[in-house]
Amino acid sequence: MSNLTVQPSRPAPAARPGSAPARTGRSARRRRGKEPAPQFRGVVSPHTLKSPRGRVIYWIVLVAVVVGFTVAFVFPLYWMVTGALRSPEDLAQMPPSFFPESLDFEVYAEAWDQLNLGRFLGNTLLYAGGALLFTLAIDVTAAYALSKLRPVLGNLVLGLMLATLMIPPMVILLPAYLTVKDLPIFGWDLLNTPWAIWLPAAANGFYIFLLKRFFDSIPRELLEAAQIDGASATRILWSIVLPVSRPIIGVVSILSVVTVWKDFVWPLLVLPDSENMSISVGIASLSAQMPQNVLIAALVIASLPAIIVFFVFQRSIMAGLTAGSLKG
Amino acid sequence: MTTMTVQGSRRRKQGAFRRGVRRNLTAYGFLCGALICFAFFSWYPMVREILLSFQQTNFVDPPTWVGLENFRTVTEDSAFADAWINTAVFTGLALVFGYAVPFVAAIVLNELRHAKAYLRFVVYLPVMLPPAVGVLLFKWFYDPGPGLFNQILDLVHLPALSWLDSADTALISLVIVSTWMNLGTGTLIYLAALQSIPGELYEAAELDGAGLFKRVWHVTIPQTKLILLVMLLLQIVATMQVFIEPYLLTGGGPENATLTVAYLMYQYAFNFGDFGAGGALGLMLMLVLMVFSAFYLRISRDNQS
């Protein structure tokens, strides 16, 4: 498992757009603002691009891509937001009107009340927030112990944790469900309690791997100096390691919240009581009984938090996406 | 003199030993939360998955060993072959779309000098939606009467399709949803990989007289070979577990046309109450997926060391 202690590669001063890890922060963004970066070159040569023919082709491709992407990825969302506002007759009309005929936001209020969305959203917030706290508390301390305290059998423990990444979640779904239903040794039934979401969420080898890899890159001298000054391991973690690790902690936090928010199968199984359902499960379970426009309005409300989070934390989310992947 | 140094070194050794013990105790103190969580929710279920598939249990009496009985139940079910074939076809189709399209999209995006931030944002937008929302949204688009897709077909004077209601089109309809929801991930990962290719390679290829497609073939693809391989394996593992699409869109129908292995496993356990048979099916899926996982592990290890 020695390969897992690789230092994260440090970005060169002039990072190419998009390749910089999260922790280069704002300055990279500013530098990146002025595209095209002079040193960047792709398949097409700058010379071809400058020729009149190249310029025309470039703009045609650009417009095609922008239009294509907008139609493919934004239009369905536009259709969803306005679809809720349409009357059933408007929806059935052929061909459909591009704009809804009337703007009546009543349906959103109706969806909120009828589907008990406040309750589902509150539940989901509780599950995601608790999962975040448990994940951070458990995974940060574990990664710190494995990276800096290096106990006996530490590598074996890390290896066993990483081995769980090789097991796809779907294939241990049934035994995991049975474990939660009747916890071994303690005999507790965690079904319909938030613990069924919080504790399994914290057992994440990928987050421990990300955190450990980052902690490994913190210079030893920094910690040794603190140790000579008499700082305890807890104190070193709290006052030195955590402050410098803010970027990676941000990435792990967002990944863990988004993962719990998006999850469907696990909450479907372990939170069967309609009082405790998460938003995804709640909407899905009530979808058959609802008028179509009410259901669509509920879908809009359910996707808003995710889209807002994406707007705000774009950079961390995309950094998290490439954090675990290999260099090409 | 000598005795003193021996004593001194012994004391030092004892001190080091004590420090070592204390360091290990602290370390395991920090680790205990993770060890408990992993033990209960990852390691124990992995072992139990194997036990489960050889046992018959009703959750009242202690489980009984039944040998290969569960495997016989599962394989003799006429749905067994359907589920595996559908899963394989789904994975294959999802690869064709979900693997090639993001790569081409990433190559094109990489060449563009404008609207980059917008395009990156837009392509990742569906990935952020909760999958249940995306799937239910498409269920509405697939509506055989006035659904959006049939309205679009009508606009261009094509006959309406029955999408989820026909055994011919149901599976491909699931692939479309799944691809739409996950395309962004691949695109952004490829984009990051493409940006680490040194521009000089393209320059050199161009000087050698390589045209646009030859440059892609001889520079881009070899340079991203590793990430392409890794994504191939990850995608196979991810799409072979498909569950939420058949669960919410079709319930496995029509005529088992969208029944997948994961969904059949769920059915055994939660509809028929046969966790043993479900476990047996889960174990088979695990063995198949472990092959791809092992390849993945090997590649990433070879390349990091």
Side-chain angles (χ1 to χ4, degrees), chain A residues 206-222:
Chain A
F206 180 60
Y207 300 156
I208 290 182
F209 169 63
L210 281 186
L211 289 164
K212 181 187 177 288
R213 209 169 54 156
F214 193 92
F215 292 165
D216 283 342
S217 73
I218 299 173
R220 217 182 174 86
E221 297 78 40
L222 205 60

Side-chain angles (χ1 to χ4, degrees), chain A residues 153-236:
Chain A
L153 299 181
N155 278 340
L156 177 72
V157 170
L158 181 66
L160 285 174
M161 286 175 176
L162 290 172
T164 61
L165 295 179
M166 294 294 123
I167 306 294
M170 208 67 203
V171 301
I172 57 161
L173 192 70
L174 302 184
Y177 169 81
L178 294 177
T179 306
V180 167
K181 194 175 166 222
D182 180 14
L183 200 69
I185 305 170
F186 298 97
W188 295 331
D189 180 3
L190 300 181
L191 291 188
N192 279 317
T193 68
W195 299 101
I197 302 285
W198 293 343
L199 295 179
N204 190 310
F206 180 60
Y207 300 156
I208 290 182
F209 169 63
L210 281 186
L211 289 164
K212 181 187 177 288
R213 209 169 54 156
F214 193 92
F215 292 165
D216 283 342
S217 73
I218 299 173
R220 217 182 174 86
E221 297 78 40
L222 205 60
L223 307 192
E224 272 165 7
Q227 213 170 11
I228 290 165
D229 288 345
S232 66
T234 320
R235 181 69 201 264
I236 292 175

Side-chain angles (χ1 to χ4, degrees), chain B residues 33 118 159 200 215:
Chain B
Y118 169 75
E200 299 86 57
R215 268 174 258 163

